[in-house]
Amino acid sequence: MADRIAELDRAREALRRESWAEAYEDLRNLDASLLAPQDLEGLADAAWWLARSDESIAARRHAYERYSAEGRYRRAAYTAFRFFLEYFFQANVAEAAGWLMRAQRHLSEEPECVEGGYVALGWAYAALVRGEPSEAEDLAQQAASAARRFRDADLTALAIDVHGRALIAQGMVAKGMSLLDEAMTSVVAGELSSLVTGAIYCNVLAVCLELADLGRAGRWTESAAAWCRSL
């Protein structure tokens, strides 16, 4: 048993270092009964970074079920939000919306919390895709307010990014691009998780290319390459 606990400690340390291949191998070889829900989330993250999508979804669903069964509704809500992202970026709108509704339902009797900001962010993404940038702007500002209150750097940057894109969609290009640049400063400073770092890079570069802002795209591409080399 002591050996298994030591292996779990090593796996958790690998997750902390974002050594995804090492963490994946360690966690998948451990007895599932030893894994806490957060370990299952870690396994899901490691599998995702290794392009093992089916295994990532299975592990995250197991974590979600455990959080729900234990009454840890805030963590269940955040895990449901992660499922929203998974399906939203696959253009699976129906399943994405279903998971976001689950996240919102988990928080219905919870006090105000940062997870509520992530739910608002999810609805902002959905509004932007539906072609309702004004609604997306309002929701992004709600998410940003929660991020400031609970001091969540990832949520702050994502909310700024969505707010910027909503302004651009309303024709306020200069103001919107200044917000995207602000989001990118957090990326370059290394203040964000790897997941959010990659998401914001992709979003900002896509907007730059769409607007033919090749100078800005080139500068941020250089920064993106530097970030990738640091992994």
Side-chain angles (χ1 to χ4, degrees), residues 76-85 99-100 103 118-119 121-122 125:
Y78 180 76
T79 308
F81 169 78
R82 286 294 305 272
F83 272 118
F84 161 79
L85 289 183
W99 278 104
L100 197 56
Y118 279 100
V119 171
L121 179 75
Y125 280 132

Side-chain angles (χ1 to χ4, degrees), residues 2 5 18-19 21 34 37 54 65 67 89 95 98-99 101 112 115 125 152 170 173 178 186 190 194 196 199 214 223:
I5 297 300
E18 297 189 343
S19 181
L34 291 174
D54 290 345
E65 291 168 353
Y67 284 133
F89 291 120
E95 194 146 7
W99 278 104
M101 285 299 298
E112 187 177 357
E115 290 82 5
Y125 280 132
D152 189 301
Q170 295 175 80
V173 175
S178 69
S186 296
S194 293
V196 173
L214 301 183
S223 295

Side-chain angles (χ1 to χ4, degrees), residues 150-171:
F150 297 102
R151 300 181 181 181
D152 189 301
D154 278 355
L155 182 57
T156 297
L158 289 168
I160 290 170
D161 169 66
V162 176
H163 189 181
R165 287 188 286 146
L167 291 177
I168 291 167
Q170 295 175 80

Side-chain angles (χ1 to χ4, degrees), residues 31-92:
D31 188 320
S33 64
L34 291 174
L35 302 182
Q38 57 266 34
D39 298 321
L40 292 165
E41 281 192 279
L43 176 58
D45 290 341
W48 186 87
W49 282 102
L50 296 173
R52 298 176 181 271
S53 179
D54 290 345
E55 291 180 60
S56 175
I57 288 172
R60 201 174 306 281
R61 184 179 289 274
H62 192 184
Y64 168 78
E65 291 168 353
R66 291 271 299 277
Y67 284 133
S68 297
E70 294 171 10
R72 298 171 64 183
Y73 297 125
R74 287 176 54 183
R75 286 308 305 172
Y78 180 76
T79 308
F81 169 78
R82 286 294 305 272
F83 272 118
F84 161 79
L85 289 183
E86 183 85 26
Y87 291 111
F88 184 78
F89 291 120
Q90 293 176 13
N92 187 337

Side-chain angles (χ1 to χ4, degrees), residues 4 36 59 62 69-70 98 104 159 167 175 196 200 212 221:
R4 290 298 187 183
H62 192 184
E70 294 171 10
Q104 186 167 299
L167 291 177
K175 188 174 181 180
V196 173
I200 290 179
T221 297

